[in-house]
Amino acid sequence: MDVDSDEATGPAVPPIQKVVRDAEVFVTHFGESAGAPVPDQNTTCNAFEVYESSLPHSPGERPHLYAPFKTKLEWKVAQWAKMDGPSASSFTRFLGIDEVRDRLNLGFKTTKELNDLIDKKLPSSRPKFFREEVVVGGQSFNLYQHNVIECIRALYGDPQHMEYLCFAPEQHYTDCDKTMRLFHDFHTGRWWWDTQKAVEANTPGATIIPVILSSDKTQVTLFRNKTAYPVYLTIGNLPKDIRRKPSRNGQVLLAYLPTSKLAHIENKAARHRTLANLFHACLKRILSGLKEAGMAGLIMHSGDRVARHCHPIFASYVGDYPKQVLVTCTYNGDSPVCECPHDELGNFPCEYHYRVFDDALRAVNSIGTPEWASRCGAENIKPVQHPFWEDLPYVDAFRSITPDILHQLLQGVVKHLIQWITDIIGEAELDARVRRLPPNHAMCAFHKGISCLSRVSGTEHKQICAFLLGLVIDSSLPSASSAALVCATRGLLDFVYLSRYPIHSDETLKELDSALSMFHDNKWVFVTHGIREHFDIPKLHFLNHYTRAIRLFGTADNYNTEATERLHIDFAKDAYRSTNCKDEYKQMTKWLERREKIMFHANYISWRLGERVFLPSPTSAAAAQSHIRVSFADLLCPYMIKMTKLPTLKSVKISTIETSYGASLFTPALCCFVAQFRNPLGTAAQIKEAAHDITIPFNAVLVFHRIKFINTDFYDGETLDSVHVYPRVTSSTGKVTRFSWFDTVLVRVREATPDSNNPLDGKCIVSSHEHHRSDALIGLRVGRVRIVFSLPPKSVEKLFPPNVDVPPHFAYVEWFTRFTARADARSNLYLIQRDTAHDRNPLVSVLPVSLIKGSVALFPKWGRVVPKEWSSENVLDQAGTFFMNNY
């Protein structure tokens, strides 16, 4: 594959670990002895060596590489069977085939024998499940759980994680004066810093282990409505990039809670009260080990066997709104974090104080007294018997509730916004606009519109956000209402995108609040047109508290439920499918234990072979350097162009290019480029005159239908952006089998700082001065690519001077007008039009592909009603004015 090395700044964001690792930040360390190793408690061997000593081996000898499996083949078969293989009965039948058994010569002949080998010969790197009975309301329930302290030890001591653990809080700044604070991973938030202060007052030298819990019911069958209720645990010492990836084993299944609906309790209020008591009774039992360990601390060894005095402390609970209400014992419809009454949830800004945990705790602890229910009522919490957090040290249950991008924003606020826009614009008009949006690599196409969608996922809501603002431009509403609709939509969309930043600063958090303010300032449009009577929606209200949570716990991707939703597949759905559906939890837990053993043994073998089983050094390792600075420009991901080695079509005639591809001025544009390349310092008149004397010595070129953009540093070979360039294809019967697709792109027409040594700088097209634009758009211009091609090799020397590097790939581009001095005040989108020459022909150029910096999506200016003749295929030809999509 040929790769152009020219870089383009694209919208993709690289993993935060790699950005901060190589960037510069000004760091304030907590100081003192926080997170320091404990003297005389370290061991000389790492966790893999400890594991190795537990494997079967002869005295004085090291276990052979694949022990307890006899050979590499036996190990690979066992690994395949447990990680990717068929069901237990199918695997037994497979091993029962005579030739398979004889040729493989395995030490196990059935699934049962393999399971016995794993259970008895492979050491456990994580604790085993055990069952307990929890009695609530005179009824007993089965609770399957791990020991919480042992789970924390397993995560903290996992050799995969030893290079990435953070042991003390830090404050990160962008400037040497430390006036602009940065927030990203958990250790950069204020919660850890404040908790460290409180713990240090009692036990100096402590290492805080922030315990992050999450839970959510999930359906494990399609038809029988069978559910599981897993509880997951992770620790804030791990970077968020590891915690978010199931393959990194940064989360552990802590327990399966009972899923009984208590249908025998007919009274609805009594049933809900009992369910809340059951939830808290189970979690209180599960987390009981945190009480003493959090207060007094205990010695723990990380993967490199360095000992520290650790305090595991419950920090946050990740869940959707029903779980937030359940955890805090608040009432449904109220805010779980502040004292705002339900009928004022829609007000902005929120003028009420945050809930006071100590007051709620005193009310909870009055259980057994006549005043218990009334005191709980005075604090506006439910009278739940012994909430799980009542005895945990250094805990504030209300503060532990964190934002939830998936359920609060994408499945909550965005879902509401789409419905409001649908109601105010009309389903028919909205779907007509969706169907006519120009295609783009970064935008999902909804060919039937969006009003007919049902059971829309968070991913689909995220995809709709990419073009939602373009649908409300030019609505049929009166002018003031139309402007308010655009501003309200833009405000919420800006909030959604800003809230997902992997790094926040004090400045971006102000922008987050400003975006929310824009929505509230313009939400009257939905009330005026009868769409809403009020905005007292708990999920919408919680947006007031995002900036506080980010300052406390780091950015929202530290505690997004999208990560735990993915865990349901491994820990609940796949686990259930491995059972015979009878007494399933016992089988599920055993199945998970065997998989964990296999995964750890695979990492051990990689360690024995000298293979690196870890990621590059994380934030905490590099950010520990003092006097270094980070720039937000480092978050921009440089694109590199990647072209296929062979063209899509080896020979396409120029006549076909001018008709099928729509490049009607291909020959004069190519002549103009050749003349300009020969004389880069020539005036426009000189180049035009020279172009008339050039003869093209060929009648066909090599054509490429796609330009890919990659970044090998951050995303390996993943395609981050793509430009599609191909004509319509019809069958022999005249039926369209593929519609044409000619992408619009951003082209570098001149450098922000011109380079006089670059013969192509500013020469493909003359650019005007661009003063008030965004810095990111300086020197850029939008064009539509009609064809991407290479010249026949034999013709290159006839057209260009010798000893000159000729670009390998070219693009024929139709230009749009230059960016205006300022973006549209309502939508913050730049308005452009198709550009024409003096003879009213399209303004076109042939230019090197390396000047293309990425694709760009355009929204057509619809008018009050979308013209029926417009389609997704021809809208870029039919419409005259466009907005550039920033999303």
Side-chain angles (χ1 to χ4, degrees):
M1 308 291 266
D2 293 333
V3 179
D4 267 330
S5 60
D6 291 75
E7 294 183 347
T9 299
V13 178
I16 189 62
Q17 296 299 319
K18 298 182 179 181
V19 171
V20 180
R21 183 193 73 218
D22 299 327
E24 294 183 336
V25 295
F26 289 93
V27 179
T28 298
H29 300 280
F30 186 84
E32 302 176 6
S33 56
V38 177
D40 304 325
Q41 293 285 339
N42 301 336
T43 59
T44 57
C45 54
N46 64 34
F48 280 135
E49 291 170 337
V50 174
Y51 175 82
E52 183 179 275
S53 65
S54 302
L55 291 171
H57 62 282
S58 302
E61 295 183 6
R62 193 179 189 185
H64 77 81
L65 181 58
Y66 298 101
F69 301 96
K70 296 184 299 183
T71 62
K72 179 180 179 180
L73 176 61
E74 187 173 295
W75 153 246
K76 288 294 184 181
V77 171
Q79 185 183 30
W80 166 78
K82 289 301 165 188
M83 302 304 296
D84 308 297
S87 64
S89 57
S90 298
F91 184 62
T92 297
R93 289 196 297 272
F94 172 73
L95 295 179
I97 301 173
D98 293 337
E99 291 187 3
V100 170
R101 184 172 58 249
D102 295 340
R103 292 187 180 184
L104 296 182
N105 190 27
L106 302 177
F108 45 85
K109 299 180 180 179
T110 64
T111 300
K112 184 178 182 304
E113 291 182 8
L114 174 58
N115 289 340
D116 289 341
L117 176 62
I118 295 172
D119 294 339
K120 298 175 181 178
K121 298 295 182 67
L122 275 185
S124 295
S125 61
R126 292 191 173 181
K128 293 185 177 182
F129 278 95
F130 61 92
R131 183 182 67 86
E132 279 193 274
E133 285 190 357
V134 177
V135 179
V136 174
Q139 185 176 356
S140 64
F141 302 89
N142 287 330
L143 171 64
Y144 288 84
Q145 61 172 307
H146 283 309
N147 181 288
V148 64
I149 298 299
E150 295 306 314
C151 285
I152 295 171
R153 284 189 188 275
L155 284 174
Y156 184 82
D158 193 325
Q160 296 183 80
H161 303 152
M162 64 183 180
E163 294 190 30
Y164 317 118
L165 291 174
C166 181
F167 304 108
E170 298 170 350
Q171 294 177 346
H172 290 191
Y173 298 89
T174 62
D175 59 324
C176 60
D177 295 329
K178 298 184 178 179
T179 60
M180 183 63 66
R181 182 81 178 266
L182 285 176
F183 304 94
H184 45 91
D185 267 306
F186 211 90
H187 70 285
T188 64
R190 293 175 178 172
W191 177 90
W192 196 336
W193 191 278
D194 295 340
T195 305
Q196 188 79 42
K197 281 184 178 180
V199 175
E200 286 286 319
N202 300 319
T203 54
T207 297
I208 303 295
I209 299 184
V211 176
I212 305 171
L213 300 178
S214 58
S215 65
D216 192 20
K217 276 187 180 179
T218 183
Q219 190 166 320
V220 294
T221 59
L222 293 177
F223 305 108
R224 294 172 53 202
N225 201 27
K226 187 75 173 179
T227 59
Y229 201 161
V231 179
Y232 305 110
L233 178 146
T234 186
I235 56 178
N237 310 78
L238 290 173
K240 57 186 179 181
D241 282 341
I242 290 180
R243 283 186 272 120
R244 290 202 308 260
K245 295 179 181 178
S247 61
R248 299 302 299 153
N249 300 321
Q251 303 256 6
V252 64
L253 175 64
L254 182 59
Y256 286 118
L257 299 182
T259 57
S260 173
K261 297 181 180 179
L262 303 181
H264 65 283
I265 302 178
E266 296 181 358
N267 184 277
K268 184 177 180 180
R271 183 167 63 250
H272 288 173
R273 186 166 56 250
T274 306
L275 284 171
N277 287 329
L278 175 61
F279 173 83
H280 282 275
C282 290
L283 275 186
K284 191 175 183 68
R285 186 77 60 86
I286 294 168
L287 302 179
S288 59
L290 294 183
K291 179 180 179 180
E292 181 178 352
M295 181 60 70
L298 69 168
I299 297 298
M300 287 191 182
H301 293 84
S302 51
D304 53 2
R305 310 312 293 166
V306 174
R308 288 177 173 83
H309 194 257
C310 298
H311 292 252
I313 298 173
F314 170 62
S316 67
Y317 203 103
V318 181
D320 55 12
Y321 177 71
K323 295 299 176 297
Q324 295 173 353
V325 169
L326 184 61
V327 167
T328 56
C329 302
T330 51
Y331 287 94
N332 189 43
D334 287 347
S335 170
V337 297
C338 74
E339 298 175 349
C340 181
H342 175 76
D343 58 358
E344 296 186 39
L345 291 177
N347 294 350
F348 179 85
C350 179
E351 298 178 349
Y352 289 87
H353 297 294
Y354 288 102
R355 291 178 182 266
V356 181
F357 180 69
D358 289 341
D359 294 344
L361 194 59
R362 282 191 289 269
V364 166
N365 289 335
S366 66
I367 187 172
T369 67
E371 297 82 15
W372 174 56
S374 61
R375 293 186 66 177
C376 289
E379 297 302 324
N380 199 25
I381 60 174
K382 295 178 182 178
V384 174
Q385 300 177 14
H386 302 295
F388 74 86
W389 34 258
E390 67 174 347
D391 295 328
L392 299 181
Y394 307 107
V395 166
D396 184 334
F398 303 128
R399 191 173 60 175
S400 71
I401 300 303
T402 56
D404 176 15
I405 299 293
L406 177 61
H407 294 101
Q408 273 178 352
L409 284 184
L410 298 178
Q411 294 288 65
V413 174
V414 170
K415 180 180 179 180
H416 285 306
L417 179 63
I418 293 172
Q419 186 59 56
W420 300 340
I421 291 174
T422 303
D423 293 341
I424 203 169
I425 291 182
E427 289 186 3
E429 179 66 17
L430 188 75
D431 289 339
R433 297 185 177 197
V434 172
R435 292 194 299 268
R436 289 163 175 79
L437 286 170
N440 182 268
H441 175 81
M443 285 181 11
C444 182
F446 293 85
H447 298 294
K448 296 183 179 181
I450 58 175
S451 65
C452 61
L453 298 176
S454 62
R455 300 180 63 87
V456 185
S457 67
T459 299
E460 289 171 321
H461 277 135
K462 194 184 303 182
Q463 293 166 344
I464 293 173
C465 285
F467 57 77
L468 189 58
L469 183 60
L471 304 181
V472 301
I473 297 173
D474 280 353
S475 66
S476 59
L477 300 176
S479 178
S481 295
S482 179
L485 178 62
V486 171
C487 290
T489 304
R490 173 192 161 194
L492 276 187
L493 289 179
D494 283 350
F495 189 96
V496 170
Y497 279 88
L498 286 167
S499 65
R500 291 163 53 198
Y501 273 14
I503 291 183
H504 267 291
S505 68
D506 291 330
E507 183 178 351
T508 59
L509 290 179
K510 289 179 182 178
E511 293 179 6
L512 192 65
D513 285 334
S514 297
L516 184 59
S517 177
M518 177 180 289
F519 166 76
H520 283 284
D521 290 344
N522 294 277
K523 66 186 178 184
W524 58 264
V525 66
F526 300 111
V527 178
T528 301
H529 292 272
I531 307 303
R532 292 289 302 179
E533 295 180 358
H534 62 80
F535 293 88
D536 300 330
I537 304 171
K539 291 181 179 180
L540 179 61
H541 169 81
F542 199 95
L543 271 57
N544 290 276
H545 308 305
Y546 268 54
T547 54
R548 175 187 183 240
I550 291 171
R551 286 188 169 97
L552 282 172
F553 302 111
T555 48
D557 51 357
N558 276 287
Y559 32 79
N560 188 4
T561 53
E562 282 181 309
T564 54
E565 289 287 333
R566 173 60 182 82
L567 294 176
H568 288 337
I569 298 175
D570 295 330
F571 292 125
K573 300 178 187 296
D574 288 348
Y576 181 81
R577 295 188 188 105
S578 70
T579 72
N580 60 8
C581 304
K582 298 176 182 178
D583 193 18
E584 63 273 6
Y585 284 109
K586 183 178 179 180
Q587 300 174 61
M588 291 166 67
T589 54
K590 182 59 71 173
W591 182 82
L592 288 169
E593 287 174 1
R594 289 169 181 152
R595 282 175 60 91
E596 287 174 348
K597 285 185 175 183
I598 291 293
M599 286 189 288
F600 193 89
H601 195 66
N603 287 332
Y604 160 75
I605 291 174
S606 296
W607 171 76
R608 282 280 300 268
L609 293 172
E611 298 173 0
R612 189 170 181 82
V613 294
F614 312 114
L615 297 171
S617 300
T619 305
S620 56
Q625 307 171 25
S626 56
H627 310 300
I628 51 179
R629 185 178 60 84
V630 68
S631 167
F632 280 106
D634 293 323
L635 281 177
L636 298 175
C637 180
Y639 282 168
M640 291 183 294
I641 294 175
K642 180 179 180 179
M643 301 292 296
T644 56
K645 185 176 181 180
L646 299 177
T648 308
L649 300 173
K650 293 183 178 180
S651 179
V652 177
K653 293 184 177 180
I654 293 179
S655 58
T656 303
I657 292 173
E658 294 173 342
T659 54
S660 298
Y661 288 82
S664 57
L665 301 175
F666 179 82
T667 299
L670 181 58
C671 292
C672 184
F673 173 81
V674 173
Q676 184 175 279
F677 197 92
R678 291 175 178 177
N679 183 17
L681 300 179
T683 64
Q686 290 172 336
I687 292 173
K688 185 176 181 180
E689 183 178 353
H692 287 295
D693 299 329
I694 294 176
T695 302
I696 302 299
F698 51 82
N699 61 2
V701 296
L702 294 77
V703 172
F704 299 80
H705 283 177
R706 194 175 181 187
I707 306 171
K708 292 183 180 181
F709 296 87
I710 63 172
N711 183 292
T712 54
D713 293 333
F714 295 136
Y715 293 97
D716 297 326
E718 180 183 351
T719 300
L720 303 177
D721 192 12
S722 184
V723 175
H724 301 263
V725 186
Y726 51 77
R728 174 186 286 196
V729 176
T730 57
S731 64
S732 57
T733 59
K735 182 179 179 180
V736 178
T737 58
R738 186 185 69 187
F739 288 98
S740 62
W741 187 345
F742 300 102
D743 263 326
T744 48
V745 296
L746 279 174
V747 181
R748 174 67 66 186
V749 294
R750 69 175 179 86
E751 299 294 337
T753 304
D755 179 7
S756 59
N757 296 321
N758 180 4
L760 295 178
D761 178 32
K763 295 301 180 180
C764 288
I765 172 174
V766 179
S767 175
S768 66
H769 296 289
E770 306 181 22
H771 290 298
H772 303 286
R773 294 174 191 81
S774 165
D775 290 343
L777 296 178
I778 292 178
L780 297 177
R781 188 167 176 179
V782 176
R784 189 183 186 192
V785 182
R786 281 292 186 176
I787 190 168
V788 177
F789 63 97
S790 289
L791 301 177
K794 295 181 180 179
S795 302
V796 171
E797 58 186 19
K798 298 179 181 179
L799 290 175
F800 300 98
N803 303 322
V804 173
D805 292 331
V806 179
H809 305 99
F810 301 89
Y812 174 95
V813 173
E814 295 177 347
W815 293 109
F816 289 79
T817 54
R818 301 178 182 93
F819 293 114
T820 54
R822 291 178 177 85
D824 176 65
R826 299 172 181 174
S827 63
N828 199 36
L829 305 180
Y830 282 94
L831 195 68
I832 57 176
Q833 297 176 320
R834 291 197 309 276
D835 208 352
T836 57
H838 296 298
D839 57 2
R840 295 188 179 182
N841 282 322
L843 188 63
V844 301
S845 294
V846 168
L847 48 83
V849 165
S850 59
L851 294 181
I852 296 176
K853 302 306 175 185
S855 69
V856 62
L858 301 181
F859 297 138
K861 198 172 188 299
W862 305 103
R864 300 177 70 85
V865 179
V866 178
K868 293 182 179 181
E869 62 271 15
W870 287 9
S871 68
S872 178
E873 184 184 29
N874 68 18
V875 67
L876 290 174
D877 298 313
Q878 297 289 333
T881 306
F882 302 86
F883 292 92
M884 190 182 77
N885 184 3
N886 294 341
Y887 297 93

